[in-house]
Amino acid sequence: TAIARAHHWYQQLMSGEEKSMRSIAAGTGFKECYVSRLLKLAFLAPDIIVKILEGKQPLGLSLQKLLKEMPYDWVSQRKGFNIYSPPS
């Protein structure tokens, strides 16, 4: 749910439907700091998202861990979260 929200909010910002995190917060009832923290999930590597959706993420990979420790580059995400995808 958090990842879906993040992608939805990101698309709203990019399309201009929403002007700011503050407007998203006002429209959803969430605090602006929560919206800000969750938005970084929109930059999670696609293969990591697939693993999470399939329930194949490593044990211990929680929303809290993602929000606290998520680097923005995908290679570091895979390494830091112990998620290795086969090359395509």
Side-chain angles (χ1 to χ4, degrees), residues 10-52:
Y10 179 74
Q11 289 304 319
Q12 287 181 311
L13 289 169
M14 293 296 99
S15 71
E17 181 181 341
E18 291 288 352
K19 301 296 180 205
S20 66
M21 288 182 279
R22 180 172 289 156
S23 67
I24 291 171
T28 61
F30 292 115
K31 294 185 179 204
E32 188 177 350
C33 62
Y34 178 76
V35 172
S36 173
R37 289 180 61 218
L38 226 60
L39 265 171
K40 68 194 234 176
L41 295 177
F43 302 98
L44 195 58
D47 56 303
I48 295 176
I49 294 171
V50 169
K51 294 250 187 224
I52 291 169

Side-chain angles (χ1 to χ4, degrees), residues 22-86:
R22 180 172 289 156
S23 67
I24 291 171
T28 61
F30 292 115
K31 294 185 179 204
E32 188 177 350
C33 62
Y34 178 76
V35 172
S36 173
R37 289 180 61 218
L38 226 60
L39 265 171
K40 68 194 234 176
L41 295 177
F43 302 98
L44 195 58
D47 56 303
I48 295 176
I49 294 171
V50 169
K51 294 250 187 224
I52 291 169
L53 292 174
E54 292 175 344
K56 296 179 181 176
Q57 75 276 12
L59 291 176
L61 183 61
S62 64
L63 176 59
Q64 291 74 24
K65 184 175 177 102
L66 285 170
L67 293 176
K68 184 178 179 184
E69 302 175 16
M70 191 183 100
Y72 285 96
D73 72 280
W74 293 350
V75 172
S76 296
Q77 288 177 11
R78 291 178 190 107
K79 185 177 180 181
F81 299 137
N82 241 355
I83 297 177
Y84 299 98
S85 299

